[in-house]
C-alpha cells in the first residue's frame, strides 16, 4: 500500500549513487563536472519514474522529464553557494506518507522535494546540506552574534534582578 501511495503522490525513493553517476556520465557526458560526484541519488515513483534528484559534491541537480515519453528534459541546478536556508519535514502517521526537503535561495523562491518515508533517511539529506552550505557568507546586517549566551548567574546591571530579564 505504501508504494502505491508513493506512486500517486510522486515521492522519490533512494537509488545507488555510484550506479546513478555511472549512468549519468555515460548517457549525458557533459552534465556533470569532471570532478563532481553524485553523493545521494533519488528516483521518483510517480510519472513512470522519469524524474531524478541528485545531491552532488557541488550542487543539487534535478532532472524532470516532460511530455509523452519524457523526450524533453528540464534540468534544475542549484549550487550549494546559492542556498540561503533549507527545511526538513519528517512524515507523520496515517495519511502523511512522505518527508519533504525545501531549499530557499537566491535566484528562486522555494524548491520543494518529496521523498518516500519508507526508504529515504531525510536526516542524511539534512547532514549533507549542513556540510555543503557555506554558512559563513556575509548575509543580512553582518553584525557579529556571539553564539555563546551571556552568563546569567551574575548580575547584568546595577539595578538588580528587576532590570535583568
Amino acid at each position: 500500500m505504501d508504494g502505491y501511495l508513493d506512486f500517486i503522490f510522486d515521492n522519490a525513493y533512494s537509488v545507488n549513487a555510484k550506479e546513478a553517476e555511472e549512468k549519468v556520465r555515460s548517457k549525458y557526458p557533459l552534465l556533470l563536472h569532471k570532478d563532481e560526484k553524485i553523493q545521494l541519488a533519488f528516483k521518483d515513483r510517480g510519472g513512470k519514474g522519469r524524474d531524478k534528484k541528485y545531491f552532488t559534491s557541488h550542487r543539487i541537480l534535478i532532472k524532470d522529464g516532460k511530455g509523452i515519453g519524457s523526450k524533453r528534459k528540464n534540468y534544475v541546478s542549484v549550487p550549494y553557494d546559492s542556498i540561503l536556508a533549507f527545511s526538513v519535514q519528517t512524515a507523520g502517521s496515517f495519511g502523511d506518507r512522505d518527508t519533504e526537503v525545501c531549499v530557499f535561495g537566491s535566484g528562486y523562491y522555494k524548491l520543494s522535494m518529496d521523498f518516500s518515508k519508507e526508504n529515504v533517511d531525510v536526516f542524511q539529506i539534512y547532514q549533507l546540506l549542513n556540510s555543503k552550505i557555506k554558512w559563513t557568507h556575509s548575509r543580512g546586517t553582518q553584525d557579529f552574534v556571539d553564539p555563546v549566551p551571556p552568563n546569567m548567574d551574575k548580575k547584568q546591571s546595577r539595578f538588580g534582578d528587576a532590570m535583568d530579564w
Side-chain angles (χ1 to χ4, degrees), residues 35-36 59 61 68 73 89 93 107 112 121 159:
D35 57 342
E36 187 174 16
R59 59 190 164 153
L61 181 62
I68 298 172
K73 313 277 190 277
Q89 178 180 324
S93 57
S112 179
D121 181 5
F159 296 107

Side-chain angles (χ1 to χ4, degrees), residues 134-159:
K134 294 182 176 38
W135 299 110
T136 58
H137 283 199
S138 298
R139 299 201 165 119
T141 63
Q142 298 182 11
D143 292 337
F144 174 76
V145 177
D146 190 357
V148 179
N151 185 351
M152 300 309 282
D153 291 337
K154 69 177 193 176
K155 298 233 184 277
Q156 299 293 315
S157 70
R158 61 188 176 105
F159 296 107

Side-chain angles (χ1 to χ4, degrees), residues 13-22 38-42 54:
Y13 62 95
S14 183
V15 295
N16 185 294
K18 189 173 186 121
E19 291 173 9
E21 183 177 339
E22 290 170 4
I38 293 178
Q39 296 176 326
L40 297 175
F42 305 93
Y54 305 115

Side-chain angles (χ1 to χ4, degrees), residues 89-146:
Q89 178 180 324
T90 60
S93 57
F94 182 75
D96 187 14
R97 307 301 304 164
D98 65 341
T99 59
E100 182 179 17
V101 175
C102 293
V103 176
F104 306 88
S106 56
Y108 54 92
Y109 174 65
K110 172 182 161 182
L111 178 65
S112 179
M113 298 169 277
D114 292 327
F115 299 95
S116 170
K117 83 173 193 177
E118 298 304 320
N119 88 334
V120 175
D121 181 5
V122 73
F123 292 106
Q124 186 180 23
I125 300 169
Y126 178 88
Q127 287 295 325
L128 180 96
L129 289 173
N130 262 336
S131 69
K132 296 294 182 184
I133 296 173
K134 294 182 176 38
W135 299 110
T136 58
H137 283 199
S138 298
R139 299 201 165 119
T141 63
Q142 298 182 11
D143 292 337
F144 174 76
V145 177
D146 190 357

Side-chain angles (χ1 to χ4, degrees), residues 38-81:
I38 293 178
Q39 296 176 326
L40 297 175
F42 305 93
K43 183 176 182 178
D44 285 358
R45 289 187 195 264
K48 299 190 173 39
R50 61 187 179 186
D51 300 342
K52 316 268 188 315
K53 297 170 179 68
Y54 305 115
F55 289 77
T56 76
S57 53
H58 294 76
R59 59 190 164 153
I60 299 171
L61 181 62
I62 298 174
K63 180 183 139 200
D64 184 13
K66 298 286 188 186
I68 298 172
S70 188
K71 297 281 184 207
R72 189 173 52 134
K73 313 277 190 277
N74 182 33
Y75 292 93
V76 177
S77 177
V78 181
Y80 293 121
D81 287 348

Side-chain angles (χ1 to χ4, degrees), residues 9-28:
F9 295 114
D10 203 21
N11 297 331
Y13 62 95
S14 183
V15 295
N16 185 294
K18 189 173 186 121
E19 291 173 9
E21 183 177 339
E22 290 170 4
K23 193 171 185 179
V24 167
R25 289 199 184 276
S26 67
K27 196 168 185 179
Y28 308 103

